[in-house]
Amino acid sequence: MRVLCFRSLVFIQLLLLVLSQDNPPGFISIDCGLPSNSTSVDEQTNLTHVSDDQFIDTGVNYEIAPNYATDELYTKYLTVRSFPSGTRNCYTLTSLSAGSKYLVRAGFLYGNYDNKNNPPNFDIHLGVNYWGSVDLPDADGAYFHEIIATATSNYLQICLVKKDRGTPFISVLELRPLLTTLYNDDANATQSLVLSARFDIGARSQELRYPHDPYDRIWRNYTMETWRYIETNSTVQPDKDFATPSTVMQTAATTSSTNQSLDISWSSDNESTVFLIILHFSEIQELPPTALRQFDIFGNGVLALNSITPIKLYSEWAKYTHTWHTEYTASLKATSNSTLPPILNAFELYVVRPTTGIPTYSGDVAAINKIKANYQVNKGWSGDPCVPTEFSWTGVTCTTESNNIPRITLLNLSSCGLTGVIVSSFGNLSTLNSLDLSYNDLSGDLPTFLDQLSALTYLDVTGNSNISTTLPPGLQQRKRDGNLMFRFGGASRYSRPSNNKTKILLAVIIPVAAVGLLLLLACLIKRSGFRRLANGEEIRNKNSTDLEDLELFIMVNCMTARKLQSSSSRQGTREFLAEVRHLSRIHHRNLVPLIGYCKDGLGCMALVYEYMSGGSLRTYLRGKDRNARVLSWEERLHILLEAAQGLLYLHRECAPPIIHRDVKTENILLNHMLEAKIADFGLSKAFRDNCTHMSITVAGTPGYLDPEYNSSCRLTEKSDVYSFGVVLLEVVTAKPPIIDGRNKIHLTLWVHQQLTKGSMDDIVDTRILDRYDVNSAWKVVQLAMSCCLETSAQRPVMSHLVSELKDCLELVLGTSSVMDSGRSSSSRRIAFEVAKNGESSLPDGPSVR
Ligand SMILES: *[C@@H]1O[C@H](CO)[C@@H](O)[C@H](O)[C@H]1NC(C)=O
Ligand SMILES: *[C@@H]1O[C@H](CO)[C@@H](O)[C@H](O)[C@H]1NC(C)=O
Ligand SMILES: *[C@@H]1O[C@H](CO)[C@@H](O)[C@H](O)[C@H]1NC(C)=O
Ligand SMILES: *[C@@H]1O[C@H](CO)[C@@H](O)[C@H](O)[C@H]1NC(C)=O
Ligand SMILES: *[C@@H]1O[C@H](CO)[C@@H](O)[C@H](O)[C@H]1NC(C)=O
Ligand SMILES: *[C@@H]1O[C@H](CO)[C@@H](O)[C@H](O)[C@H]1NC(C)=O
Ligand SMILES: *[C@@H]1O[C@H](CO)[C@@H](O)[C@H](O)[C@H]1NC(C)=O
Ligand SMILES: *[C@@H]1O[C@H](CO)[C@@H](O)[C@H](O)[C@H]1NC(C)=O
Ligand SMILES: *[C@@H]1O[C@H](CO)[C@@H](O)[C@H](O)[C@H]1NC(C)=O
Ligand SMILES: *[C@@H]1O[C@H](CO)[C@@H](O)[C@H](O)[C@H]1NC(C)=O
Ligand SMILES: *[C@@H]1O[C@H](CO)[C@@H](O)[C@H](O)[C@H]1NC(C)=O
């Protein structure tokens, strides 16, 4: 328990607002489910409630069932708005001021509006932060949830989030501005207060709120049989920290003797819950000069505040936070000198809720909301576009920048029925790197404000028949520099008239990866101590003849003397050993098992792997040995599938996940049965993952390296996917990732060029030309191209690749009879035609099922 502070002796005069027909400034009162533009007047407060129509664009209006609509029920509970679709639906309350404090209250009365007799449960969020859980026990009770929070921008969003039972709905939504000086230490930008209880002790009415409380807090009557009640007709001066209304303070409880304490008890089923209790007291009795009312406050028996003597007709407060219990009691006990029992006029109990979720950058939010409104995008977009990630908008991808503020990086409005011109708000999404506007009815120019998108690497306006295809100068330059992939053309989604323009639109950056240099040094095995790893244990084998007993293939992936010395430390060695030990515990059919490592006197390290007699996949595809066995198409598919499974295991099954970082045909090894296993994975953190240590960085191999690495300096799962895409193409074509011709050209670009002018036969390894299945080859090429998209977010994940490769294999096994009788010429023609007008987007392959 932590004592925060104790009472303030500064007072202010509180003006009760004279009741008028107008709602006080800043009050937002919404009667949810009312027809558009209509209003209702609340019988309790005389405040006008408006329809929720202008605050939300999702949901359906209902009236509660007639048998619940009794005469006593307040009008605002007669209608509800219900949210059968979408997981998260949000109200947006605008015209607030950033940094100001608000009380927000949401009211729910089920009233069997949906005729399902199923009061639902659901969560409520305030903006990007969890607020609470609504779990309605009955159909006729009106329940409200209230929170005191600080707005971090000029609007607040109140979201209903579907849970396991029933459909979320809402009856009433109210927002009241609070002075920032109120609840000052406890409700701020990083924490808010969720109301548990707010009681007026010995109240004169069951419930007191606006206009008696100018902030429209709801104070409820609270009594205990053992207490004694006193009251006054004199005004009690409110304090400035909580502005407790005089009416609330005019009634109070004491006990019958000084021996008896005033106790307030509550419980919680979660001992991590942090409670804030605020006690309000004031002397409201005329006391003789000799009398003394003095008391201490205990929290679960521990002294929290001592020797409090209330001042006559002035509001005072005491508060403390309470946690790490499930049962709580606040006790007011008279001190030994006191002649009178303790007094308590009112109290409030809150749960302290952290509000540390960071919303999307406000400029992005404003821009995407403009876009949403302008085109009336109907994708169920509601709330924050990026946060929390599980509710991020469909078609929107975000990344978090180093300052932790999420930004929008991908916007996919493909097939959204957009009409009209491209609006300037697109230019405000300044961190966008992919914009997909394909298959809409957009017209006009590609405006110059798109030049503001300086990170754009992908722009797709395919399938907008009346849009100009001239890029503004900035983007044109980006395209010329190979930094932008621009797709256009095509009339509509379902009929693709052929188009004779053939342009190469696939731009692939060929990274000149002078990034890292792997110094290959053979370990001098004879002079080294060898460590074999078994069951995570090290067994030291000093005797080098042991080595010869093992069939060993030494991966000379030597962390050189320089490398270890430059990290100059035990630390470096220790990290290396920890990683090696970790790797030795990873076992998968498609991963080369690590047996041990060796270290020579110079500090040179080598890893020792199981011997793979088949050598590397590269040798089969492009080896020097002209007599080497040619892998059949089916074998190639098997190998690719196995390699993909190995990578999938690294990405998904290892904890922490392992990014290979150097996927290439040389690192796919084959055993004598031509089973593929991935080698050289996992030596990551200590030695590879840091651009600032250029000299000791090993980050991929030129030709296989994720083009995004240039800008992000970071290798991710999707970098492996990129590299694997290159491997796929290599296996189909048997060509190296960078083709040496008159000009050096990247394999992906070469394949694309071939596709636009010819057929699969121009691409496929000439050694298997008359023995491959065109459908599956087509599919593999398509997959490869999707892996090699510049924007990592657009690339598939390994699990997708595994399942697609399985399909390919099935295709081959299933159609082998057809293949034996020769390929059908029609399937070749289809491939050719699609390729020809596939200039604007990669074509879908021939339909095979
Ligand atoms: C509501 O009021 C707005 C503005 O006055 C008006 O444009 C709109 O048509 C009204 N809606 C209905 C349903 O009356
Ligand atoms: C609301 O207004 C009516 C009529 O003006 C009045 O009789 C009633 O007392 C008011 N209620 C409150 C709570 O002020
Ligand atoms: C909010 O209040 C809590 C508790 O008083 C404090 O720890 C936190 O630093 C405050 N946050 C800000 C942004 O002032
Ligand atoms: C306050 O609550 C007590 C106990 O429930 C009840 O006896 C009393 O009548 C209530 N006072 C008012 C004004 O409703
Ligand atoms: C307060 O005023 C009411 C009516 O004006 C009166 O009946 C009551 O006795 C007064 N209470 C006190 C404590 O003076
Ligand atoms: C309160 O305590 C005093 C002294 O300890 C005792 O004499 C008295 O009987 C007690 N009164 C009650 C009501 O318990
Ligand atoms: C208990 O409260 C903590 C902190 O508010 C929260 O993180 C946790 O999920 C809660 N546990 C349960 C079981 O609700
Ligand atoms: C009680 O009164 C005595 C005598 O006036 C004083 O010395 C003592 O400090 C007081 N105790 C408290 C807790 O105020
Ligand atoms: C877009 O950016 C321009 C300045 O480039 C600014 O004036 C405008 O307010 C922004 N619009 C939105 C919706 O953020
Ligand atoms: C956009 O979504 C469509 C389908 O909804 C998909 O085919 C397309 O690949 C997506 N575009 C990007 C850039 O992710
Ligand atoms: C194409 O757009 C231009 C204006 O950008 C317009 O004048 C023309 O009518 C449009 N044509 C069609 C077929 O929509």
Side-chain angles (χ1 to χ4, degrees):
M1 187 190 346
R2 193 161 55 98
V3 176
L4 281 179
C5 52
F6 170 54
R7 63 194 175 151
S8 139
L9 288 172
V10 187
F11 309 101
I12 55 153
Q13 181 72 40
L14 183 137
L15 286 172
L16 282 189
L17 291 172
V18 180
L19 179 67
S20 79
Q21 291 299 98
D22 293 334
N23 288 359
F27 274 38
I28 300 177
S29 305
I30 301 170
D31 182 346
C32 305
L34 270 193
S36 176
N37 292 357
S38 55
T39 60
S40 68
V41 174
D42 180 34
E43 295 87 346
Q44 202 183 2
T45 56
N46 278 350
L47 293 172
T48 302
H49 283 57
V50 299
S51 155
D52 56 357
D53 203 50
Q54 55 181 303
F55 303 99
I56 194 161
D57 50 21
T58 53
V60 187
N61 291 353
Y62 283 94
E63 288 176 7
I64 62 168
N67 53 320
Y68 291 100
T70 57
D71 288 347
E72 299 84 60
L73 191 65
Y74 295 137
T75 310
K76 60 189 176 187
Y77 288 114
L78 294 176
T79 56
V80 303
R81 187 177 283 243
S82 160
F83 301 96
S85 55
T87 313
R88 178 180 64 166
N89 287 275
C90 302
Y91 282 83
T92 305
L93 307 186
T94 52
S95 308
L96 311 186
S97 54
S100 293
K101 203 168 290 178
Y102 296 92
L103 179 154
V104 182
R105 186 159 45 220
F108 309 93
L109 184 141
Y110 172 59
N112 197 21
Y113 74 87
D114 56 0
N115 209 16
K116 288 183 178 156
N117 277 312
N118 181 23
N121 70 355
F122 50 91
D123 280 343
I124 44 178
H125 290 199
L126 188 67
V128 298
N129 293 293
Y130 174 75
W131 166 0
S133 172
V134 179
D135 190 348
L136 298 172
D138 54 42
D140 58 349
Y143 298 89
F144 70 81
H145 288 249
E146 191 190 293
I147 190 168
I148 294 175
T150 302
T152 52
S153 52
N154 61 359
Y155 62 90
L156 271 178
Q157 292 189 309
I158 292 92
C159 304
L160 288 81
V161 179
K162 201 174 173 64
K163 255 164 66 174
D164 50 337
R165 199 181 76 224
T167 307
F169 76 92
I170 184 167
S171 309
V172 191
L173 187 57
E174 295 168 335
L175 173 135
R176 312 294 182 227
L178 297 181
L179 291 178
T180 45
T181 50
L182 295 177
Y183 301 89
N184 198 18
D185 299 329
D186 303 296
N188 58 27
T190 52
Q191 67 181 42
S192 55
L193 300 176
V194 173
L195 183 70
S196 290
R198 184 184 293 119
F199 285 118
D200 175 2
I201 295 172
R204 293 192 180 111
S205 59
Q206 194 57 44
E207 197 173 276
L208 181 145
R209 57 185 294 183
Y210 184 84
H212 305 284
D213 186 327
Y215 303 103
D216 195 22
R217 286 168 293 186
I218 295 175
W219 300 85
R220 289 197 158 159
N221 174 27
Y222 185 88
T223 56
M224 293 273 284
E225 255 174 38
T226 53
W227 293 356
R228 293 179 46 189
Y229 295 92
I230 53 177
E231 60 172 48
T232 182
N233 284 343
S234 311
T235 302
V236 179
Q237 298 294 331
D239 65 89
K240 79 163 173 38
D241 299 300
F242 298 101
T244 320
S246 175
T247 324
V248 169
M249 296 301 289
Q250 281 173 330
T251 58
T254 68
T255 54
S256 50
S257 83
T258 53
N259 309 28
Q260 207 192 337
S261 61
L262 265 173
D263 292 344
I264 296 161
S265 298
W266 68 97
S267 63
S268 160
D269 55 7
N270 184 344
E271 67 168 27
S272 315
T273 307
V274 180
F275 285 101
L276 169 71
I277 182 155
I278 307 167
L279 305 164
H280 301 277
F281 41 81
S282 167
E283 185 58 75
I284 57 170
Q285 278 185 319
E286 206 62 54
L287 303 186
T290 53
L292 173 67
R293 194 194 301 279
Q294 192 185 52
F295 55 89
D296 297 332
I297 298 174
F298 296 83
N300 280 14
V302 178
L303 183 66
L305 302 157
N306 66 355
S307 306
I308 296 167
T309 302
I311 298 171
K312 195 168 166 207
L313 298 180
Y314 282 99
S315 240
E316 292 176 274
W317 52 266
K319 66 175 188 179
Y320 64 91
T321 53
H322 217 359
T323 191
W324 307 122
H325 296 280
T326 51
E327 303 293 327
Y328 303 83
T329 303
S331 297
L332 283 68
K333 286 184 185 155
T335 62
S336 53
N337 288 359
S338 184
T339 62
L340 293 165
I343 187 170
L344 186 63
N345 307 55
F347 70 89
E348 295 168 83
L349 185 62
Y350 294 94
V351 171
V352 176
R353 182 86 72 214
T355 50
T356 44
I358 298 172
T360 306
Y361 172 66
S362 57
D364 285 0
V365 174
I368 196 146
N369 277 315
K370 278 243 170 83
I371 291 168
K372 175 186 163 189
N374 184 77
Y375 298 106
Q376 302 187 345
V377 176
N378 184 17
K379 273 174 156 310
W381 285 357
S382 193
D384 189 281
C386 306
V387 190
T389 41
E390 65 262 41
F391 306 127
S392 70
W393 292 1
T394 48
V396 173
T397 305
C398 311
T399 52
T400 299
E401 297 192 314
S402 50
N403 57 8
N404 286 331
I405 297 179
R407 297 293 308 258
I408 295 174
T409 53
L410 177 150
L411 178 56
N412 189 346
L413 289 168
S414 179
S415 308
C416 284
L418 313 189
T419 57
V421 297
I422 294 180
V423 294
S424 65
S425 300
F426 283 105
N428 289 53
L429 295 170
S430 55
T431 53
L432 208 59
N433 52 45
S434 299
L435 178 58
D436 190 340
L437 299 171
S438 57
Y439 304 106
N440 288 300
D441 203 8
L442 292 167
S443 52
D445 291 336
L446 295 175
T448 48
F449 52 70
L450 292 178
D451 279 346
Q452 293 164 28
L453 307 178
S454 57
L456 200 69
T457 56
Y458 181 88
L459 174 62
D460 194 345
V461 296
T462 315
N464 291 276
S465 49
N466 195 20
I467 200 163
S468 151
T469 52
T470 312
L471 286 171
L475 290 183
Q476 227 160 55
Q477 187 58 48
R478 286 185 61 72
K479 185 174 165 242
R480 267 200 299 276
D481 296 345
N483 292 328
L484 174 70
M485 188 187 290
F486 176 48
R487 292 179 166 172
F488 61 92
S492 83
R493 192 168 242 338
Y494 303 104
S495 65
R496 260 189 218 155
S498 65
N499 190 328
N500 289 327
K501 276 185 288 179
T502 47
K503 281 189 182 173
I504 296 157
L505 296 158
L506 185 81
V508 176
I509 316 172
I510 302 169
V512 185
V515 173
L517 186 63
L518 175 58
L519 299 174
L520 292 177
L521 278 185
C523 278
L524 302 169
I525 300 290
K526 279 173 195 155
R527 277 193 243 141
S528 70
F530 170 67
R531 281 167 187 242
R532 184 181 166 85
L533 295 142
N535 302 323
E537 293 295 316
E538 293 175 27
I539 304 163
R540 182 143 194 149
N541 291 311
K542 280 234 167 69
N543 188 344
S544 65
T545 56
D546 284 1
L547 288 171
E548 285 142 30
D549 297 340
L550 292 165
E551 241 193 337
L552 291 178
F553 178 78
I554 310 296
M555 291 291 295
V556 196
N557 182 7
C558 185
M559 302 303 127
T560 62
R562 173 163 171 211
K563 179 171 263 186
L564 285 178
Q565 276 158 11
S566 67
S567 47
S568 101
S569 48
R570 294 238 172 83
Q571 170 89 8
T573 316
R574 224 177 25 234
E575 277 172 24
F576 174 81
L577 293 183
E579 281 209 355
V580 168
R581 248 173 248 128
H582 175 63
L583 289 183
S584 70
R585 286 185 211 119
I586 294 174
H587 297 286
H588 184 268
R589 203 156 50 82
N590 302 120
L591 298 175
V592 178
L594 177 66
I595 296 172
Y597 63 92
C598 65
K599 185 180 165 189
D600 70 8
L602 300 167
C604 177
M605 294 276 203
L607 300 178
V608 183
Y609 288 92
E610 193 181 83
Y611 180 52
M612 299 287 287
S613 58
S616 79
L617 176 56
R618 183 184 184 280
T619 338
Y620 280 92
L621 297 173
R622 296 183 275 119
K624 293 252 158 58
D625 183 359
R626 288 266 150 216
N627 301 322
R629 184 176 175 312
V630 174
L631 295 172
S632 75
W633 178 238
E634 195 183 314
E635 282 166 342
R636 290 174 201 225
L637 285 178
H638 269 294
I639 289 167
L640 288 175
L641 174 59
E642 284 162 351
Q645 283 167 342
L647 284 174
L648 176 63
Y649 184 83
L650 292 177
H651 288 180
R652 285 296 136 85
E653 304 294 330
C654 293
I658 292 179
I659 297 164
H660 190 294
R661 283 149 216 268
D662 199 9
V663 176
K664 52 181 173 182
T665 43
E666 273 159 288
N667 278 335
I668 297 173
L669 304 185
L670 305 175
N671 65 12
H672 62 285
M673 295 172 61
L674 288 182
E675 284 168 348
K677 291 176 199 271
I678 303 270
D680 194 23
F681 53 86
L683 278 177
S684 51
K685 288 186 230 76
F687 300 102
R688 290 188 177 178
D689 195 19
N690 201 336
C691 279
T692 58
H693 296 91
M694 288 297 208
S695 61
I696 61 161
T697 298
V698 179
T701 303
Y704 294 94
L705 185 62
D706 183 356
E708 245 182 29
Y709 180 77
N710 287 342
S711 52
S712 70
C713 229
R714 224 161 49 89
L715 290 175
T716 65
E717 263 184 28
K718 292 295 183 72
S719 314
D720 284 356
V721 170
Y722 180 92
S723 311
F724 190 73
V726 178
V727 168
L728 290 175
L729 292 181
E730 244 184 289
V731 169
V732 174
T733 61
K735 293 211 178 317
I738 294 171
I739 299 170
D740 252 324
R742 238 176 328 128
N743 300 308
K744 282 195 172 170
I745 176 170
H746 195 268
L747 182 54
T748 49
L749 197 50
W750 180 83
V751 167
H752 191 80
Q753 286 174 354
Q754 300 306 309
L755 279 179
T756 54
K757 63 176 198 233
S759 74
M760 280 305 287
D761 284 3
D762 297 327
I763 294 170
V764 171
D765 185 353
T766 48
R767 295 176 297 175
I768 56 165
L769 254 193
D770 44 9
R771 286 178 287 120
Y772 79 98
D773 168 59
V774 70
N775 289 340
S776 54
W778 181 257
K779 204 164 168 174
V780 170
V781 168
Q782 259 190 293
L783 265 186
M785 294 311 248
S786 69
C787 293
C788 294
L789 287 174
E790 278 190 65
T791 309
S792 58
Q794 296 165 2
R795 299 174 201 151
V797 290
M798 283 317 299
S799 54
H800 177 75
L801 293 173
V802 167
S803 78
E804 291 292 304
L805 286 169
K806 274 184 184 153
D807 287 354
C808 288
L809 201 51
E810 271 171 32
L811 222 54
V812 171
L813 299 176
T815 58
S816 53
S817 56
V818 180
M819 278 173 61
D820 288 345
S821 63
R823 274 171 295 115
S824 108
S825 59
S826 72
S827 68
R828 265 214 293 181
R829 207 183 59 236
I830 294 168
F832 175 72
E833 281 177 1
V834 179
K836 210 171 67 179
N837 59 36
E839 43 94 11
S840 53
S841 70
L842 276 176
D844 298 331
S847 150
V848 285
R849 264 181 260 177

